[in-house]
Amino acid sequence: MNEAQREAAGNRLHIAVTLLALWLVTTSPWVSMLRRVPASAGFFDYAHLILGVLALFVGILYGLVVVHGGRWKLYFPLAAGNGPAVGRDLAGLVRGKVPAAEGGRLFGAIEGLLLVALVAAGVSGVVWLLLQGADAALTWRMLHIVFARVLIAAGVLHVLAVASHLLDFVRD
């Protein structure tokens, strides 16, 4: 797969994972599972299970596409030793300066956190499903909810980062 094909695939996967995550988050208030899938499970329960597993696979595939060829450093700058640049971006935010859009800095770290939270929410949801009925299912349910909340927070930060750069683009 050449670079143009990889970018096109990444764009399609980004759209797919975004739509899946939006569906899962916005419909989660109608999901009613605790220790197991209830006998009275309805549309939203089963849709959440099916689309959640699909989101996990799409999220993993998306992650593999975007971090290929050393690009992981763009999404995980702290692990790549680029913590000082992330720190400068945070300090700039305090002074009202919008950080650079290039990866490997604060906005890349937000994208990496979003990707990890998506996969963690998916894995914890699948483990919760596999352990249904067991006492450990409740622990995995709690972890699933925590990772989903991190996903939501990182998603909001990601949207704000994109919006800030669109605003800068329009101003220039």
Side-chain angles (χ1 to χ4, degrees), residues 16-40:
V17 80
T18 300
L19 293 174
L20 286 165
L22 280 171
W23 168 269
L24 292 165
V25 167
T26 58
T27 62
S28 64
W30 294 283
V31 174
S32 57
M33 291 181 262
L34 189 58
R35 191 180 302 266
R36 67 173 34 106
V37 178
S40 63

Side-chain angles (χ1 to χ4, degrees), residues 14 62 74-76 101 103 106-116 154 158 162:
H14 184 268
Y62 176 66
L74 301 176
Y75 293 88
F76 305 102
L106 178 61
F107 289 167
I110 292 169
E111 291 173 324
L113 174 63
L114 184 57
L115 184 57
V116 167
H158 179 59
V162 170

Side-chain angles (χ1 to χ4, degrees), residues 120-133:
V123 167
S124 60
V126 167
V127 172
W128 175 24
L129 180 64
L130 293 174
L131 294 176
Q132 65 178 309

Side-chain angles (χ1 to χ4, degrees), residues 72-74 76-88 104:
W72 67 270
K73 295 174 186 175
L74 301 176
F76 305 102
L78 298 176
N82 206 12
V86 174
R88 286 190 299 274

